[in-house]
Amino acid sequence: MLSIRKIGMIGRTYRHINRYSQILGVLFAYGFGELIDVLRIDQLIDLVLRTADQRKREKIEKLTRPERVRMALEELGPTYVKLGQLLSTRPDLLPADYIRELEKLQDKASPFPFEEAIAILKTALPFDAVFEFISPEPIAAASIAQVYDAVLKSEERVAVKIQRPGIRRIVEIDLEIMLHLATLMERHIEEVAFFQPVKLVEEFARVLEKEIDFTVEATNMERVSRHFLGDPTVYVPAVFREFSTPSILVMERIDGIKISDIEAIEKAGLDKKLLTIRGADVCLKQIFEHGFFHADPHPGNLLVLPDNVICMLDLGMVGALDQKTREDFIELVDSVVLRQEGRAARAILKLTDWDREPEMRSFERDVADFMSNHLYRPLKEIRIAKLFQDVLDLAFRHRLRVPADIFLMLKALATVEGVAQNLDPDFDMISHAAPYIRKIRFQKMAPGRMAAEALYALEQGVAFVRQFPQDMLEIGKLIRQQRLTVNLRVEHLERILSANDRTSNRIAFSILIAGLVIGSALIVISETPPLVFGISLIGFIGFSAAVVLGIWLLAAIIRKGRL
């Protein structure tokens, strides 16, 4: 597991001060210096100014804020690129313009030396007994790993994915700093605290843990391969488990045509319309039948093989939907098709997370506007990508959190629709999905399914009736023994107490200043020696201290924007 420890408070020595100052310097250079003041880490301002690139700051002033966020993340390295990619799947946290910009993040890096790759392989595997040949030049290099073309002793051609040396330590250091910054944000920025940044960093750590463990990707590949076992139209590269480890993945090397390369597809004599249908079927089957899908089906991850076979690559990012979520999604689609605004609004609430239910009249009105913008037109004119974007805008506007897997499903559908439109401009993704939607609706109403659900409900009811008297006896026993406690949770109590502390400190400070003024005035009037030009020196010093403290208090109040 990734080791993430909380960094000590401001004023203590940071374990990773150089990296910390580098991160803050990049943020300052891209125009986010206000964070230093808001997060109350003024102690690091000198380090920030030393590491910040002032010339770069001048160049980026004309860029939009989302563009500057993307560029800053790219410069900060692999951990922050991965963070940006995660945030691009969280429309509940960021507006649409930030999501679109973060989707442009490219996970590329300079390759590390071939000698280091060989050393890693020799440490983990009996290299000479496994490999006949390995190409010295990588065929791909990313922030976490790079891939080499190789041949096994069995003469099978493979692709070998090797993790970068020391990447785990780099990620752990960045996550520690990220966790500290998130803690400060949650403590000092009320608008950000709503989104629970500490919890987000912890979630991000879990995502990264899976990404840097290549056995997880191997499992995903095997699972998807089993789902399409017996389907000759779909292919997933085989995994060589015996040669794979958490830091090395050995898989079958596939040569095919990128699905976006129309010229090569036509030259090979392949059927573009058939490829369009098969590609759409692959995506729809994964989502609506298997409940486990390739979450990043962009053209680089889809190859075309002879006989119009679709090959899926890079299954590091996947999504999963349980039966209930799929049925709730179908209910949303059904209510939209039938133009039932109230039912559609309730279906959206089922599919999203929220702390407080939105004002329903306003929410239903926005849902009705959304439906009128898209659905009073022929189905073939409806574009999933635009519909998807408007759903995200609607959710963000009403403070609804779209779960990651729901977002990934919608994004996968929109991506596949774009690939399909490139192959066949007349293809109608909405109509093609209709049979899959009908199938799930019929499954929900199947007699066997309804009987099983009724039996389960009856079992739960019987269990409740049996357990309820025992629970009441236990409660009565706790009351008699005076051991029953009630825990009340007050929302935002910590911030309320912090605000009260600041108010009390200002009052105490004001009283101290007033006391200095009054005491100094009495000393001056009584002409307490020593005297300078007939004025008591002690009284003058007291007045001066009061003035300095008063200016300091006034500056602190103005800086917070509240007089």
Side-chain angles (χ1 to χ4, degrees):
M1 292 292 291
L2 287 169
S3 173
I4 310 174
R5 297 171 294 175
K6 287 191 176 181
I7 295 178
M9 296 296 291
I10 300 290
R12 299 180 186 175
T13 301
Y14 289 107
R15 286 193 295 274
H16 315 300
I17 189 66
N18 290 335
R19 178 58 173 160
Y20 204 124
S21 60
Q22 180 188 6
I23 290 169
L24 294 180
V26 170
L27 294 177
F28 185 83
Y30 282 95
F32 302 107
E34 70 271 12
L35 277 174
I36 298 171
D37 180 52
V38 173
L39 298 181
R40 302 182 186 177
I41 46 180
D42 306 70
Q43 292 87 337
L44 293 174
I45 190 66
D46 291 337
L47 284 170
V48 170
L49 291 174
R50 283 201 299 268
T51 56
D53 189 336
Q54 297 293 338
R55 288 175 299 177
K56 179 187 296 179
R57 193 176 184 188
E58 293 171 3
K59 291 179 182 178
I60 58 91
E61 287 179 351
K62 296 181 181 180
L63 299 175
T64 65
R65 196 173 180 86
E67 287 175 328
R68 287 186 279 125
V69 169
R70 173 183 59 77
M71 293 171 68
L73 293 175
E74 286 177 335
E75 184 166 332
L76 287 172
T79 311
Y80 287 85
V81 168
K82 295 295 180 185
L83 175 64
Q85 291 172 341
L86 172 67
L87 291 174
S88 73
T89 68
R90 296 296 302 271
D92 53 311
L93 300 178
L94 296 174
D97 53 344
Y98 282 83
I99 295 290
R100 285 191 294 270
E101 194 63 36
L102 293 180
E103 285 175 343
K104 300 176 184 177
L105 282 169
Q106 298 296 312
D107 189 10
K108 296 179 180 179
S110 301
F112 59 86
F114 179 63
E115 292 75 18
E116 293 184 21
I118 294 296
I120 293 171
L121 289 174
K122 287 184 175 180
T123 302
L125 300 170
F127 182 84
D128 294 331
V130 173
F131 296 101
E132 182 69 32
F133 166 79
I134 182 166
S135 172
E137 294 297 326
I139 56 178
S143 57
I144 299 296
Q146 56 195 43
V147 183
Y148 291 88
D149 194 2
V151 178
L152 300 178
K153 286 290 185 181
S154 59
E155 298 185 356
E156 293 170 286
R157 194 176 172 202
V158 295
V160 184
K161 189 174 183 179
I162 305 173
Q163 199 168 106
R164 283 184 173 272
I167 188 64
R168 179 175 287 269
R169 180 60 181 158
I170 293 171
V171 168
E172 287 177 350
I173 290 172
D174 280 347
L175 284 174
E176 286 188 16
I177 295 171
M178 205 179 288
L179 182 62
H180 185 232
L181 292 174
T183 303
L184 294 176
M185 287 180 182
E186 198 160 300
R187 185 181 303 160
H188 298 304
I189 309 177
E190 187 173 350
E191 296 81 1
V192 174
F194 169 80
F195 298 106
Q196 301 174 309
V198 171
K199 186 177 179 181
L200 177 65
V201 172
E202 292 169 348
E203 175 190 338
F204 176 50
R206 289 191 292 271
V207 171
L208 268 184
E209 175 64 36
K210 292 180 180 179
E211 185 149 353
I212 62 178
D213 182 354
F214 292 162
T215 61
V216 174
E217 183 176 348
T219 300
N220 293 340
M221 294 174 68
E222 291 172 338
R223 182 174 178 180
V224 173
S225 182
R226 282 196 301 271
H227 287 161
F228 288 99
L229 199 62
D231 186 342
T233 67
V234 183
Y235 193 81
V236 178
V239 176
F240 291 81
R241 277 281 189 178
E242 64 272 30
F243 306 136
S244 298
T245 71
S247 59
I248 299 170
L249 177 60
V250 180
M251 52 194 157
E252 181 183 5
R253 178 80 161 96
I254 301 295
D255 290 320
I257 302 171
K258 190 183 292 187
I259 201 166
S260 59
D261 192 345
I262 303 299
E263 184 178 345
I265 289 173
E266 291 175 343
K267 188 175 180 180
L270 299 169
D271 190 331
K272 290 188 296 182
K273 289 186 179 294
L274 181 58
L275 286 172
T276 303
I277 293 171
R278 287 182 174 180
D281 282 337
V282 168
C283 179
L284 295 170
K285 282 180 181 178
Q286 288 182 93
I287 291 172
F288 294 114
E289 293 183 9
H290 308 151
F292 187 80
F293 59 93
H294 193 323
D296 193 22
H298 64 76
N301 288 337
L302 296 176
L303 297 181
V304 179
L305 307 182
D307 298 325
N308 300 296
V309 173
I310 303 292
C311 176
M312 286 184 282
L313 304 176
D314 192 2
L315 283 153
M317 184 185 292
V318 296
L321 300 172
D322 59 26
Q323 184 72 24
K324 184 179 184 306
T325 302
R326 281 177 275 168
E327 290 173 355
D328 289 342
F329 180 71
I330 297 306
E331 181 182 351
L332 171 61
V333 173
D334 193 42
S335 59
V336 167
V337 170
L338 296 176
R339 295 175 171 82
Q340 298 173 337
E341 290 90 349
R343 184 183 166 206
R346 290 189 294 274
I348 291 174
L349 292 180
K350 285 183 183 179
L351 289 167
T352 55
D353 300 324
W354 33 272
D355 295 321
R356 183 178 298 174
E357 184 176 288
E359 200 284 309
M360 287 306 295
R361 181 173 295 180
S362 171
F363 183 52
E364 288 181 11
R365 183 170 60 249
D366 284 351
V367 170
D369 290 341
F370 158 75
M371 291 167 62
S372 65
N373 289 337
H374 290 278
L375 301 176
Y376 295 97
R377 60 177 69 183
L379 284 178
K380 66 180 182 180
E381 294 182 11
I382 298 176
R383 291 290 171 263
I384 291 178
K386 175 61 177 169
L387 188 145
F388 164 46
Q389 191 59 63
D390 287 352
V391 167
L392 297 183
D393 291 340
L394 177 66
F396 187 83
R397 196 159 57 248
H398 289 275
R399 291 287 186 109
L400 304 177
R401 292 190 286 268
V402 180
D405 285 323
I406 296 289
F407 176 86
L408 291 174
M409 176 195 69
L410 295 171
K411 186 178 178 182
L413 285 170
T415 303
V416 169
E417 181 189 50
V419 172
Q421 289 288 322
N422 188 43
L423 287 168
D424 181 8
D426 296 325
F427 182 73
D428 181 359
M429 187 70 169
I430 299 288
S431 298
H432 195 76
Y436 294 93
I437 294 172
R438 284 197 299 269
K439 185 176 180 180
I440 288 187
R441 290 176 60 193
F442 291 147
Q443 285 176 348
K444 186 177 180 180
M445 301 303 296
R449 168 79 180 276
M450 295 181 69
E453 289 182 353
L455 180 60
Y456 178 74
L458 180 61
E459 290 174 350
Q460 293 294 103
V462 170
F464 172 77
V465 171
R466 287 178 177 174
Q467 187 64 32
F468 185 71
Q470 182 64 32
D471 291 341
M472 293 304 296
L473 289 173
E474 288 292 333
I475 292 173
K477 182 179 177 180
L478 291 173
I479 293 173
R480 288 194 303 273
Q481 296 175 351
Q482 297 184 348
R483 291 168 51 201
L484 184 67
T485 59
V486 178
N487 294 322
L488 295 177
R489 181 173 178 269
V490 181
E491 291 287 342
H492 312 307
L493 179 60
E494 186 177 334
R495 287 199 294 276
I496 293 172
L497 293 175
S498 177
N500 286 338
D501 286 343
R502 287 197 300 271
T503 302
S504 301
N505 291 341
R506 289 177 182 177
I507 292 173
F509 217 58
S510 301
I511 293 172
L512 176 62
I513 293 169
L516 278 172
V517 171
I518 294 171
S520 300
L522 292 173
I523 291 172
V524 170
I525 293 171
S526 63
E527 297 184 349
T528 302
L531 301 177
V532 178
F533 300 111
I535 300 174
S536 171
L537 180 60
I538 297 174
F540 178 77
I541 292 173
F543 274 123
S544 300
V547 170
V548 171
L549 293 175
I551 293 173
W552 187 9
L553 176 61
L554 183 61
I557 294 173
I558 293 174
R559 187 172 60 179
K560 292 300 177 185
R562 298 181 181 92
L563 290 175

